[in-house]
Amino acid sequence: MKRMTGPIAAIVAAFALGFLSHALYERWRAPQEAAPGAVGASRSYPVTYVPSADPPPPAELPLVQATDLRKLRQLAGTQARVRGRVYRVGHSARSNTYFLNFGPARGAFTGVIFASAAELFERRRINPLSYEGREVEIFGQIKDHPTYGLEMILEDPSSIRVLN
C-alpha cells in the first residue's frame, strides 16, 4: 500500500490543480448572460461576413497593351486592364496551372490561372486552352515577379474577356 500513495497523491494533486484553474477561469471570464445595463455586462454585436468587393469594372482601370512591357513594369503593383493576343497557353499538369503567354519570348507578359481558379473555370465550362490565338482583355493586379517576370494572377473567369 505504501507504493500506491505516490501515484494517488499525483492524481489528487492533478485534479486539485485542474479544479483550481477551472475556478479561476470562471472567476475572470466575462459574464455571458448579464442583465443589460448591469455592472460588468458585456455587449454583444452581431457579426456578419461580407466578402471582398468584386474587382472594379474594367472601364475604370488603365488599359495597357500586353506588348508594352515598359508601361506594364511601371504599373506593377496596381490594378490595370491588359489587352493582347494570347500567343500560347501552357499547362502544368502537376499543379493544374495555366499560363497565358502574350508573346513568344520568355520575358513576355503572362496571365496565370492557378489550380484554385482553374476549378472555377471548369465549373463554368470554360477551357483555358481555348484562349490560345485569341484577342483578350484581362484585368487584375500586375506583378513583377523576380523569377517569372511580368504577370497577372487571374482568380476568376470574370477577369478575362474575349474580344474576338
Side-chain angles (χ1 to χ4, degrees), residues 5-128:
T5 56
I8 291 175
I11 292 171
V12 169
F15 176 78
L17 188 60
F19 184 77
L20 178 65
S21 65
H22 178 71
L24 290 174
Y25 170 76
E26 288 295 322
R27 170 81 170 96
W28 290 327
R29 184 176 66 140
Q32 295 293 325
E33 295 180 21
V39 177
S42 64
R43 291 184 177 160
S44 65
Y45 300 96
V47 178
T48 58
Y49 171 73
V50 178
S52 63
D54 289 333
E60 297 175 7
L61 300 174
L63 177 63
V64 183
Q65 292 298 318
T67 55
D68 191 356
L69 298 179
R70 183 185 58 78
K71 180 74 171 170
L72 287 168
R73 197 163 271 112
Q74 288 174 349
L75 290 173
T78 63
Q79 297 278 329
R81 291 183 296 159
V82 178
R83 182 179 288 177
R85 185 169 301 280
V86 177
Y87 179 76
R88 185 178 78 84
V89 177
H91 179 247
S92 169
R94 192 177 91 199
S95 63
N96 194 25
T97 304
Y98 292 89
F99 304 95
L100 282 63
N101 299 316
F102 286 85
R106 180 144 172 82
F109 181 74
T110 304
V112 182
I113 302 171
F114 287 115
S116 58
E119 292 173 7
L120 295 174
F121 280 82
E122 290 169 6
R123 279 191 219 140
R124 293 188 186 171
R125 300 182 195 277
I126 300 171
N127 184 358

